[in-house]
């Protein structure tokens, strides 16, 4: 039944020239046809927490459905990643307090937890890429990413250790080194150290724009460094008021040899992500941090948000903003959803 145009219809047609934006939204197929960005399994990096010993996965209290895995279970997780098509997993160690010291020396032990997990995974599941942080916070008794003197974090002295850590991890089989320490000049030094150690293929994904953020709390709980942290990280991580500075940080990391860059946290910093991705034109990743994860899960557990919809919408936002990929604790869940066509 066609209705004769009302005065309102005539006014709309006159104003829009007949363009009706809802036309393309009327069915599922047409919405899919014109969608500008879509989340795919190749966009996902799965961060995993690894701990000593065997037995059941240990729940992380502040991150519902996230666990600390034994090395053996990390291998199983890597197999799951492979079967789902997730390209990369990121390993984060929970280091026992008695192995932590002022200088973070356990970071340089080639048989440390992260190295053993890396070797075990590379042995069993070579098809999956492995990303490891370059930073000392899982290993220091004060919870900082570098070497401390009094209450200062020393830049160059920290880098000397970080270079060795990067080489130890690359030798264990880590494919991507992720300097997350925010010391000045670290990418150049780490690149040189890797090359000198004959690890030319090891990639660097620089945490270029890493902000001093409240959204890392649950992660620090997961790796056991939260309670130890003396003070805060504002003398090396970025001030959340700034975006020009993020551009300078990222440009500098690229000039020093970074293959890829990252913005962290993710959702509260989408403007920074967009700016870096568009202006620099290099693979730019986002980290959906532990705090963002736990925020969504807390609302889900209260029945205030629909989990799957909230997850896909937020991860899609990173894609829309220009991310080449996303580190997300939701990765296996989303990959399964994508596989099932949900
Ligand atoms: C360590 C590091 C942190 C995160 C990744 N690497 C915490 C921090 O800098 O204090 C945060 C990840 C997350 O919150 O999910 N340098």
């Amino acid at each position: 039944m066609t209705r004769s145009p009302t005065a309102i219809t005539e006014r709309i047609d006159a104003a829009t020239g007949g363009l009706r934006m809802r036309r393309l939204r009327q069915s599922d197929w047409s919405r899919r046809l014109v969608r500008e960005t879509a989340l795919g399994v190749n966009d996902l990096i799965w961060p995993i927490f690894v701990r000593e010993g065997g037995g059941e996965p240990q729940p992380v209290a502040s991150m519902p459905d996230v666990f600390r895995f034994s090395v053996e279970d990390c291998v199983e997780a890597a197999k799951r990643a492979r079967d789902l098509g997730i390209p990369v997993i990121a390993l984060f160690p929970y280091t026992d307090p008695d192995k932590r010291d002022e200088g973070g020396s356990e970071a340089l032990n080639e048989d440390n937890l992260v190295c053993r997990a890396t070797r075990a995974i590379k042995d069993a599941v070579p098809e999956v890429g492995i990303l490891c942080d370059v930073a000392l916070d899982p290993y220091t008794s004060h919870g900082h990413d570098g070497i401390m003197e009094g209450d200062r974090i020393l830049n160059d002295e920290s880098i000397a250790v970080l270079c060795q850590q990067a080489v130890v991890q690359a030798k264990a089989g880590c494919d991507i080194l992720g300097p997350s320490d925010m010391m000045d000049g670290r990418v150049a030094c780490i690149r040189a150290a890797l090359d000198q150690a004959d690890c030319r293929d090891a990639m660097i994904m620089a945490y270029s724009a890493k902000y001093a953020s409240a959204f890392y709390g649950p992660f620090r709980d997961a790796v056991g460094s939260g309670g130890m942290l003396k003070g805060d990280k504002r003398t090396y991580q970025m001030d959340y008021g700034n975006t020009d500075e993020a551009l300078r940080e990222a440009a500098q990391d690229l000039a020093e040899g970074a293959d890829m860059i990252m913005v962290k946290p993710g959702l509260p910093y989408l403007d920074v992500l967009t700016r870096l991705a568009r202006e620099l034109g290099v693979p730019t990743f986002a980290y959906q941090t532990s705090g963002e994860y736990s925020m969504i899960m807390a609302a889900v557990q209260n029945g205030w948000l629909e989990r799957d919809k909230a997850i896909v919408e937020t991860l899609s936002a990173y894609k829309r903003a220009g991310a080449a990929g996303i580190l997300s604790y939701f990765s296996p869940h989303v990959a399964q959803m994508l596989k099932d066509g949900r």
Side-chain angles (χ1 to χ4, degrees), residues 47 49 63 92 133-138 143-145 178-182 207 210-211 213 215-220 223 225 229 233 236-237 262 264-265 287-293 327 329:
F49 298 112
M63 299 181 75
F92 293 100
D133 252 28
V134 182
L136 300 181
D137 55 308
H144 279 287
D145 296 29
S180 75
D181 55 290
M182 291 299 278
Y207 286 68
K210 179 171 180 182
Y211 288 85
S213 171
F215 288 90
Y216 308 151
F219 171 97
R220 292 178 189 165
V223 300
S225 64
L229 184 61
K233 301 192 176 182
Y236 47 107
Q237 299 180 346
M262 192 207 294
K264 180 177 168 211
Y287 202 135
Q288 182 184 46
T289 47
S290 56
E292 297 171 68
Y293 173 88
L327 289 93
Y329 301 98

Side-chain angles (χ1 to χ4, degrees), residues 6-18:
T6 62
I8 286 181
T9 304
E10 276 164 13
R11 173 154 299 151
I12 292 168
D13 287 346
T16 63

